[in-house]
Amino acid sequence: MSVFDHFKKRWVLPFFFLGENTISLIGGALASASAFVMAGFWMVDILGHGGSTNPYIGLITFLFLPGIFILGLILIPIGIAIQRKKLLAEGVLPSIYPDIDFNEPMFRHALNFVVVATFINFVIVGVASYRGVAYMDTPSFCGAACHVPMQPQWVAYQHSPHSHVDCTECHVGSGFENYVHAKMAGMKQLVGVTFNTFPRPIRADLSDLRPARATCEQCHAPKRFVGDRLMVKTAFADDEKNSMTKTMLVLHLGGVDSLARMSGIHGHHLDHFEYVASDSGDQTIIAVDAPGANGSTTEYVSSDWKGPVKGTKRVMDCMDCHNQATHVFQTAEDAVDESMADSSISADLPFVHKEGLQLIQATYASQAVAATKIKSGIEDYYRTQYPTVWNTQRAKVEQAAQSLVTVYKQNVFPEMHVTWGTYPNNIGHTNFPGCFRCHDGNHTSKDGKTITNDCTACHNLLAVDEPNPKLLSEMNFQ
Ligand code: HEC
Ligand code: HEC
Ligand code: HEC
Ligand code: HEC
Ligand code: HEC
């Protein structure tokens, strides 16, 4: 007898004979159905349309489906063992197992059962999983279903220029590696949410995000010359009149011009700068390597840093400056100034800048408490201090109260320990270190070069906090 025949007689035929029992057949159907569905997920992923950041999708692809699959596989031998024991006890276990024969009704019967059961399971599990995953890929699920932990990022996302870009675009993307990485991260987050151990606030780590090449640069061309850009900022003071001033600057955005020359803010930095930070939020940058001509690099080290330069190097990309491209958190001053500039908080109300700021900067136990206290705070103020304003401009007072509450709710999340300034914005240098993490005049190379701190390298200040810049009225700038 050949080895093959022996194998067939000893294992394959008994398997089919004894396998024809309910438990094994259900096991087989479960295993094959889940295998189909998993294969479907993998295909979708390889084709690049299924990438998902969703923490819960990990539950399905990493736990649920393989769980069903393994359960199915385990049920098959269990069924066989039970069947064998039963037949042995009845003394009807054949000494020679019947050959597999498609003319044999018993075998056809078994096969039919497996095929039909597999098909039904496939449809049920497949549709359910597909629908679940499709839903879970939507920003509203990422942001809203996982309510408490994601709330600050979700709210900030909704009023950003990228509110129509799916979370998955920036946080996961396609490709098997990304997929697995995101699934593992998702599982960790899921555990955090289940056991309520997630950090408050959730801290962003740029190295967890996809590189800008795969995200931002898919929509924004990196090598494009933008030239200079005029910026006008409106601010209000704390006096009774809420005196308005303007700041005008011309930012040297630059870029890469048609002769491939790099200039300004969007120029050199994107030419493979590497830096080392001493904190995970990259707020304290201790050293930068900048490429120069002929493949040379210049290393600039902070003079505040006494030790050796050690740590993970990060290649600078869009997100090192635009870390708040999507999750925009304002300072209290900027938020109030902006609302006053667009008149949702009327500058006609005496001291509204000062009072409003004080109210939104106070500490409250929750957003709900804040909403009540801010509203009553502003109304009480005008009722008691400016009864004429209260009597004649009630609508403006109520509108201001409403806007202050909105501004608060967009930026402060007591449950997540997120308050004004929790999340730094790396653009600029007036509220957070930002550009001055490197351009502080304190990062120097061995041969004595310093990363520039010259105001004019980045912008020309045309007016700083002027009530009525002449230039602005000449330009008729709105
Ligand atoms: C255009 C790209 C983009 C989109 C779209 C986007 N994010 Fe982000 N997200 C970022 C960047 C960049 C950071 C890092 C911010 C920083 O370092 O300050 C971040 C940080 C976060 C963080 C902080 C913790 C972490 O993972 O590092 C959370 C939570 C988050 N995003 C959730 C979401 C959710 C939920 C959505 C969809 C509603 C979303 N994001 C959509 C770019 C994006
Ligand atoms: C899916 C396409 C897409 C992706 C991905 C994307 N953006 Fe944008 N981005 C846009 C569009 C469209 C606008 C213009 C929105 C508008 O004008 O309202 C925009 C606007 C901006 C602006 C100008 C904002 C302003 O206030 O004027 C910046 C800065 C920006 N994106 C940076 C980034 C960065 C950084 C990333 C990567 C983290 C990124 N974008 C990813 C499509 C995208
Ligand atoms: C060194 C910091 C820095 C880096 C790196 C950087 N930017 Fe910017 N970017 C700025 C500043 C500063 C502005 C102007 C101020 C603002 O928009 O708030 C700006 C403005 C923009 C704008 C608006 C431009 C316009 O015409 O109004 C877009 C879009 C943008 N950046 C996209 C990107 C993308 C995409 C990348 C990566 C390829 C990138 N930026 C890399 C600092 C940077
Ligand atoms: C990680 C460190 C780092 C950060 C953060 C950074 N820069 Fe730079 N930047 C450099 C280095 C290094 C150089 C000089 C490279 C060289 O020429 O050797 C430079 C050069 C420049 C230049 C060209 C200066 C010139 O004289 O040619 C401009 C403009 C500039 N940066 C603007 C900005 C702005 C605006 C920001 C913030 C939005 C910023 N940088 C953030 C490291 C940084
Ligand atoms: C490395 C680049 C860089 C240097 C050097 C620099 N700035 Fe700026 N500055 C910026 C950027 C970028 C912004 C715009 C921030 C934004 O988009 O809100 C800015 C904004 C400002 C503003 C307006 C801030 C506001 O919110 O009203 C003032 C004022 C200002 N800078 C003053 C200075 C002065 C004074 C110096 C010289 C000591 C200087 N800056 C040096 C990059 C720089």
Side-chain angles (χ1 to χ4, degrees):
M1 196 162 60
S2 74
V3 176
F4 177 73
D5 272 350
H6 178 79
F7 179 71
K8 189 173 154 194
K9 289 234 150 47
R10 182 97 180 74
W11 295 102
V12 179
L13 295 180
F15 178 82
F16 274 100
F17 179 78
L18 296 171
E20 206 242 333
N21 67 75
T22 322
I23 297 178
S24 299
L25 291 177
I26 289 175
L30 285 180
S32 47
S34 49
F36 270 119
V37 178
M38 285 192 287
F41 272 115
W42 295 332
M43 283 301 291
V44 168
D45 194 59
I46 289 163
L47 297 177
H49 299 294
S52 156
T53 37
N54 195 288
Y56 302 97
I57 192 188
L59 196 67
I60 293 181
T61 49
F62 272 173
L63 286 184
F64 181 70
L65 286 175
I68 297 278
F69 186 69
I70 291 165
L71 177 74
L73 290 186
I74 293 173
L75 284 180
I76 297 173
I78 289 181
I80 290 179
I82 293 174
Q83 180 80 342
R84 188 167 178 275
K85 214 172 153 195
K86 195 174 115 205
L87 295 184
L88 257 180
E90 290 169 9
V92 292
L93 196 68
S95 52
I96 295 174
Y97 289 94
D99 220 338
I100 298 175
D101 178 1
F102 281 93
N103 295 319
E104 173 67 46
M106 186 189 80
F107 182 70
R108 282 211 309 273
H109 180 72
L111 203 66
N112 283 343
F113 185 79
V114 171
V115 169
V116 171
T118 302
F119 182 75
I120 292 174
N121 269 335
F122 177 64
V123 171
I124 293 171
V125 178
V127 170
S129 313
Y130 179 78
R131 290 190 63 107
V133 168
Y135 162 62
M136 287 189 296
D137 256 4
T138 57
S140 64
F141 179 86
C142 300
C146 182
H147 195 69
V148 173
M150 292 285 174
Q151 208 202 5
Q153 278 75 20
W154 164 238
V155 171
Y157 161 90
Q158 284 170 293
H159 60 89
S160 90
H162 299 112
S163 55
H164 293 271
V165 182
D166 282 355
C167 318
T168 49
E169 287 272 335
C170 293
H171 286 280
V172 181
S174 55
F176 189 68
E177 209 181 307
N178 288 327
Y179 186 70
V180 172
H181 183 86
K183 292 304 151 289
M184 299 313 278
M187 291 313 299
K188 215 170 82 188
Q189 288 161 16
L190 190 69
V191 171
V193 172
T194 313
F195 297 103
N196 205 12
T197 55
F198 54 84
R200 293 174 174 82
I202 293 179
R203 285 285 173 194
D205 190 352
L206 289 182
S207 60
D208 282 345
L209 285 156
R210 306 181 66 205
R213 213 176 331 101
T215 56
C216 325
E217 294 181 17
Q218 296 301 310
C219 297
H220 299 281
K223 299 223 146 90
R224 191 170 66 96
F225 186 71
V226 178
D228 284 355
R229 198 182 107 166
L230 178 65
M231 245 181 77
V232 180
K233 285 198 161 188
T234 307
F236 295 84
D238 274 348
D239 56 350
E240 185 174 24
K241 296 201 310 283
N242 310 298
S243 301
M244 183 177 77
T245 55
K246 303 267 185 188
T247 296
M248 292 172 72
L249 42 135
V250 173
L251 272 175
H252 304 314
L253 264 188
V256 182
D257 70 11
S258 53
L259 296 174
R261 287 175 304 205
M262 291 176 294
S263 66
I265 300 168
H266 276 174
H268 208 167
H269 292 113
L270 297 169
D271 192 25
H272 205 92
F273 276 28
E274 288 182 347
Y275 71 81
V276 180
S278 61
D279 64 321
S280 62
D282 301 329
Q283 290 303 296
T284 310
I285 292 179
I286 56 181
V288 195
D289 287 340
N294 316 321
S296 66
T297 40
T298 309
E299 186 188 42
Y300 297 94
V301 181
S302 166
S303 61
D304 293 336
W305 187 254
K306 301 297 175 223
V309 174
K310 275 193 307 215
T312 336
K313 284 192 171 169
R314 178 174 155 83
V315 178
M316 196 171 179
D317 70 22
C318 317
M319 285 175 279
D320 289 287
C321 297
H322 294 285
N323 66 325
Q324 293 205 351
T326 298
H327 309 297
V328 191
F329 297 97
Q330 294 170 295
T331 63
E333 286 83 359
D334 282 354
V336 170
D337 284 346
E338 215 177 275
S339 300
M340 290 184 68
D342 72 16
S343 308
S344 52
I345 298 176
S346 169
D348 296 342
L349 299 173
F351 283 118
V352 73
H353 185 264
K354 181 165 174 265
E355 289 302 316
L357 260 180
Q358 261 170 18
L359 279 167
I360 61 171
Q361 284 177 311
T363 310
Y364 305 101
S366 70
Q367 287 198 341
V369 174
T372 324
K373 291 260 170 83
I374 292 170
K375 191 163 181 298
S376 60
I378 217 77
E379 289 176 0
D380 290 350
Y381 178 77
Y382 289 106
R383 196 173 34 235
T384 55
Q385 306 299 311
Y386 289 93
T388 12
V389 171
W390 174 246
N391 289 328
T392 57
Q393 308 194 51
R394 183 82 54 92
K396 279 185 186 169
V397 174
E398 278 164 6
Q399 166 71 42
Q402 191 49 49
S403 297
L404 287 166
V405 170
T406 305
V407 151
Y408 182 92
K409 285 187 169 174
Q410 286 177 345
N411 289 283
V412 183
F413 303 84
E415 279 176 275
M416 283 305 293
H417 302 179
V418 171
T419 182
W420 303 105
T422 298
Y423 291 111
N425 184 342
N426 292 338
I427 296 261
H429 51 81
T430 40
N431 302 314
F432 299 101
C435 312
F436 284 13
R437 291 174 298 159
C438 297
H439 289 272
D440 56 354
N442 215 358
H443 285 67
T444 315
S445 70
K446 282 210 182 68
D447 55 3
K449 276 205 296 185
T450 300
I451 304 180
T452 184
N453 187 234
D454 177 0
C455 318
T456 60
C458 300
H459 48 56
N460 285 358
L461 293 166
L462 303 177
V464 178
D465 288 332
E466 283 183 28
N468 248 323
K470 190 161 157 280
L471 208 55
L472 207 55
S473 40
E474 279 171 5
M475 287 192 298
N476 199 12
F477 196 86
Q478 301 295 317

